[in-house]
Amino acid sequence: MSDARQFVDFRIDDRVAVVKVDRPPVNALNRQVEDEIEGVFKELGTLNEIGAVIVTGGGAKAFIAGADIKMISEKSPKEAFEMSAATQRVLSKIEKFDRVVIAAVNGLALGGGCEVALACDIRVADESAIFGFPEVSLGLLPGAGGTQRLARLVGIGKAKELILTGDPIIADEAKRIGLVERIAPKGEAVAEATSLAKRVLLRGPIAVSNAKKAINEGTDMTFEDGLRRETELFAALFETHDMKEGVRAFLEKRKPDFVRR
Ligand code: DAK
């Protein structure tokens, strides 16, 4: 891990990396935090032993309560354009990471914080978590991919309701509309995300990676193109040791020994 990072770091426990954004009081995003998130994912990408990543917030109050409002207030339109592109690039890095990424939402996930959660593959929320897109209250819109990812995840109508009113919702409602996949008891979001990650770790890692890619890429294609991409990614697995091992292990009635190649 890097000594240079001030607000974002990670620990690895049994092939699961837990990335923590820790910038008190509410883990607000600024350029440095985003650069550090990008740096952490770059580093994790080089660590072959990692099978899953969990993203969470430091402290008990917030996952990430949005972009740093002070930073936003100082931007010109040109700088805002550059900021949006830079933030979108960081979140795309999370989205395209070649292992599963789970958001453990341990508190407030507002604005840019919700956008970070949306870039993850699966969201686990503490039962006390709050989700919301307050950008319009500030005369802004979600500029880090939120208008696109939220609509794809929960549907256009719900996305418009949440983004255009700016009203927050509690964890149960977030689960009901499909914004989060699981609810954890208070203080247990990381533990619940870890148990989910452990389920994925039992599976063929390249199969997991290709399945994630097929879903992500297919979302932005026509149905026919998506099917074609699925076929390519499916066929590519037949070149891997792990696919042969997985099938052989089933036939031999034993657990597979996957090695990520
Ligand atoms: N930025 C900076 N400081 C924040 C903050 C934020 N987002 N949220 C809270 N704080 C600070 C407060 O100013 C306060 O600081 P002190 O006064 O103690 O110095 C401290 O955190 C604690 O806040 P409160 O005293 O208000 O504590 P409460 O528990 O009563 O309320 C709260 C916590 C998080 C619910 C409340 O502070 C709040 O509503 N904060 C604003 C949340 C918000 O609107 N977040 C969304 C910001 S807009 C883009 C990329 C991303 C975005 C936009 C563009 N591009 C790349 C173009 C995203 C935009 C957003 O996220």
Side-chain angles (χ1 to χ4, degrees), residues 39-54:
V40 160
F41 272 85
K42 201 166 166 201
E43 191 173 336
L44 292 175
T46 66
L47 303 176
N48 205 31
E49 72 269 24
I50 289 172
V53 179
I54 293 169

Side-chain angles (χ1 to χ4, degrees), residues 8-21 37 40-41 44 50-57 63 94 97 99-106 116 120-124 188-198 201:
V8 185
D9 224 330
F10 67 88
R11 66 179 159 81
I12 300 171
D13 189 6
D14 196 16
R15 299 181 56 216
V16 179
V18 179
V19 176
K20 191 187 280 186
V21 177
I37 292 173
V40 160
F41 272 85
L44 292 175
I50 289 172
V53 179
I54 293 169
V55 180
T56 195
F63 172 66
I94 296 177
F97 193 70
R99 279 147 272 180
V100 65
V101 183
I102 304 173
V105 180
N106 54 314
V116 170
C120 298
D121 298 309
I122 302 169
R123 285 144 292 279
V124 174
E188 298 292 319
V190 171
E192 180 70 19
T194 303
S195 96
L196 194 54
K198 294 263 159 86
L201 288 182

Side-chain angles (χ1 to χ4, degrees), residues 63-99:
F63 172 66
I64 297 169
D68 188 322
I69 295 173
K70 186 162 180 298
M71 169 195 78
I72 291 175
S73 70
E74 295 157 354
K75 301 288 178 209
S76 67
K78 181 168 177 292
E79 286 169 330
F81 187 90
E82 285 159 5
M83 182 172 102
S84 176
T87 307
Q88 288 180 5
R89 191 191 64 231
V90 174
L91 299 199
S92 289
K93 192 150 249 157
I94 296 177
E95 188 169 60
K96 291 181 181 159
F97 193 70
D98 68 352
R99 279 147 272 180

Side-chain angles (χ1 to χ4, degrees), residues 120-141:
C120 298
D121 298 309
I122 302 169
R123 285 144 292 279
V124 174
D126 184 293
E127 64 189 4
S128 69
I130 304 274
F131 294 80
F133 292 86
E135 282 90 342
V136 291
S137 317
L138 300 165
L140 288 167
L141 60 78

Side-chain angles (χ1 to χ4, degrees), residues 222-235:
T222 64
F223 189 71
E224 287 304 319
D225 287 348
L227 288 179
R228 208 166 5 257
R229 186 68 185 122
E230 181 185 81
T231 298
E232 289 165 5
L233 289 161
F234 176 77

